[in-house]
Amino acid sequence: MGRVLAIDYGHKRVGLAVTDPLQLIATPLTTIHSQELLAYLKAYHEREPLEALVVGMPRTLGNEPTDATSAVVGLVRRLRKEFPLVPVHEIDERFTSRMAHAAMLAGGLGKKDRRDKATVDRVAATIILQSYLESR
């Protein structure tokens, strides 16, 4: 059984989270620059075979596309082209950043760590992945 990797895509930074090999637990992985994403994923897939990719799809409260939606749709197209044997799933990412802040506060992270956008992106990716795991 391969791992499932989740992507919280942003124009500058991308938060990544991954499951354990049994796909039971979602764990923050890293935050990378958005331009490095495909190279990172290819290298990761060679080390740890991926069974699926999960991408957070940005939407407004009214379920309309946001300014970032078109970039994420383009990313999903590229992922499906670069990884034709790996299913790519889209998950609604509304509220994930807010949930990430709440989770970090509940986890006892200090104010400085909660303001670190890279940490927020990793935790948001983990929430996206956990949401995917629970929806199966």
Side-chain angles (χ1 to χ4, degrees), residues 10-11 18-19 38 74 93-94 111 113 115 124 126:
H11 292 293
V18 69
T19 64
L38 286 178
E93 72 166 26
R94 283 179 282 187
K111 186 181 267 188
D113 290 331
R115 287 188 182 169
T126 307

Side-chain angles (χ1 to χ4, degrees), residues 76-93:
V76 168
R77 265 193 231 115
R78 284 193 311 256
L79 290 173
R80 288 184 173 138
K81 182 180 176 186
E82 295 289 331
F83 302 95
L85 301 177
V86 179
V88 179
H89 305 281
E90 300 169 19
I91 294 288
D92 184 346
E93 72 166 26

Side-chain angles (χ1 to χ4, degrees), residues 4-122:
V4 178
L5 187 138
I7 302 168
D8 181 34
Y9 185 80
H11 292 293
K12 294 180 183 178
R13 282 178 321 280
V14 179
L16 300 175
V18 69
T19 64
D20 61 301
L22 296 177
Q23 300 179 8
L24 299 173
I25 301 168
T27 307
L29 181 60
T30 190
T31 304
I32 59 172
H33 193 279
S34 60
Q35 293 176 344
E36 301 168 5
L37 178 61
L38 286 178
Y40 182 90
L41 292 177
K42 287 177 186 177
Y44 188 89
H45 186 50
E46 287 178 17
R47 289 190 318 272
E48 295 282 343
L50 295 171
E51 187 167 306
L53 293 165
V54 178
V55 180
M57 187 59 66
R59 307 294 287 181
T60 66
L61 290 178
N63 203 26
E64 299 292 323
T66 70
D67 296 340
T69 302
S70 63
V72 175
V73 169
L75 170 67
V76 168
R77 265 193 231 115
R78 284 193 311 256
L79 290 173
R80 288 184 173 138
K81 182 180 176 186
E82 295 289 331
F83 302 95
L85 301 177
V86 179
V88 179
H89 305 281
E90 300 169 19
I91 294 288
D92 184 346
E93 72 166 26
R94 283 179 282 187
F95 305 114
T96 55
S97 291
R98 186 173 292 156
M99 291 167 65
H101 280 287
M104 292 186 316
L105 183 64
L109 258 62
K111 186 181 267 188
K112 183 179 178 184
D113 290 331
R114 291 194 312 266
R115 287 188 182 169
D116 178 18
K117 293 183 181 196
T119 303
V120 174
D121 291 341
R122 283 191 303 275

